[in-house]
Amino acid sequence: MGVTNPFLSADAAARYAAGRPDVQALALERVRPFLGGTALGVDVACGTGQCSVALTELVSEVRAYDVSAPMLAHARPHPRVTYALSPAEALPLPDECANVMTVFMAFHWFERERFLAEAQRVLRPDGVLALCDSWFAAELRGVPEFTERMHEGYGQRYPPPERDRRPFGEPEARAAGFSFNTQTFTHTVNFDLNQLVTYLLTHSNTIAVTESGQQTPQEVAAWLRQHFAHLLPEGQVGEFVFGGEVRVLSPLA
């Protein structure tokens, strides 16, 4: 399929740590009603630990794993979170130990079938796997031109890199041995121009370009600033719309 995770370098990790808003708790609150126990949570592809720390509000202990050492170097410390280097498809955990496993915006980078089998192994019979996603809806409240600028300017200049785009709904979940529940929601994040540029520099779109050497991060940032400056003048804060989805899966008996 040609899927390559672009979030592996030190530069990508630093940009991610600097620019991603904390929205994970909004998704995890939708997981809480499905929990059968709260002893151990496992956060897979934890990145800089945003979801890992948010998960401590649901469980007593969190073990968090990522395949990127630079991401883990930026991970947020927390007394009840233990970070370690590991691929999603081969976690260093015993069978049936986890009450909940979370994946925040990373399922599309995994070897899907291997990961789902690993989740089946690690989860307790009453455990849940939460596949959480949050996406930039390309909407700036009160500025309809922003959406066009995102799709026709930004999206054409910096297209998203290849990922696993196969659908994953109830038929696919049941075929993998899970029940399925999904919830969608929207929320807003406030950015000024500097924050917007810093956030867009965390997208796989821009990271793929800089990692391939086509442009430097400084060149991408300069283009972004010029492209959006008149829509978000210096000193102005905009309200941006994000979408969210939580797919909660439980092992079938």
Side-chain angles (χ1 to χ4, degrees):
M1 190 175 297
V3 175
T4 300
N5 187 336
F7 294 102
L8 302 180
S9 74
D11 179 65
R15 285 156 60 178
Y16 202 96
R20 285 278 166 152
D22 289 314
V23 300
Q24 291 75 15
L26 296 174
L28 294 188
E29 276 304 311
R30 290 161 170 81
V31 178
R32 188 188 295 273
F34 297 92
L35 296 181
T38 59
L40 177 62
V42 176
D43 188 28
V44 184
C46 65
T48 60
Q50 289 174 287
C51 188
S52 312
V53 173
L55 186 55
T56 63
E57 295 298 315
L58 273 64
V59 298
S60 299
E61 178 190 359
V62 174
R63 299 183 191 178
Y65 301 96
D66 201 281
V67 73
S68 169
M71 280 285 190
L72 293 175
H74 286 275
R76 299 178 181 185
H78 189 282
R80 291 190 284 115
V81 179
T82 303
Y83 295 101
L85 191 69
S86 174
E89 300 84 1
L91 299 168
L93 291 166
D95 295 352
E96 297 187 358
C97 67
N99 299 106
V100 57
M101 180 180 294
T102 54
V103 179
F104 196 88
M105 296 186 65
F107 184 56
H108 46 266
W109 303 120
F110 295 170
E111 294 181 40
R112 178 185 292 185
E113 289 74 17
R114 287 184 60 205
F115 168 70
L116 291 172
E118 183 69 343
Q120 285 274 8
R121 182 187 71 81
V122 171
L123 284 171
R124 294 173 55 87
D126 62 349
V128 296
L129 168 62
L131 304 176
C132 307
D133 286 292
S134 174
W135 59 87
F136 197 41
E139 295 179 25
L140 171 56
R141 292 271 171 85
V143 187
E145 185 186 342
F146 180 81
T147 300
E148 180 181 346
R149 286 241 153 193
M150 278 295 297
H151 291 311
E152 297 185 7
Y154 173 82
Q156 290 179 358
R157 185 177 180 90
Y158 302 117
E162 191 55 51
R163 64 198 67 198
D164 191 338
R165 299 182 185 278
R166 290 177 293 167
F168 190 80
E170 185 168 7
E172 293 79 15
R174 290 195 170 274
F178 292 93
S179 65
F180 183 83
N181 180 283
T182 185
Q183 299 179 53
T184 59
F185 58 98
T186 61
H187 60 96
T188 59
V189 176
N190 292 335
F191 289 139
D192 62 20
L193 181 60
N194 289 332
Q195 291 167 328
L196 174 65
V197 170
T198 301
Y199 167 68
L200 292 176
L201 286 172
T202 73
H203 280 194
S204 60
N205 311 47
T206 59
I207 288 177
V209 167
T210 57
E211 288 298 298
S212 67
Q214 298 175 57
Q215 291 185 329
T216 66
Q218 294 77 18
E219 289 170 334
V220 175
W223 184 89
L224 291 170
R225 182 174 296 279
Q226 184 275 330
H227 189 63
F228 294 113
H230 76 286
L231 301 181
L232 197 62
E234 199 70 34
Q236 180 176 312
V237 175
E239 187 178 41
F240 294 85
V241 179
F242 281 67
E245 181 180 25
V246 179
R247 289 170 285 180
V248 180
L249 286 64
S250 299
L252 293 170

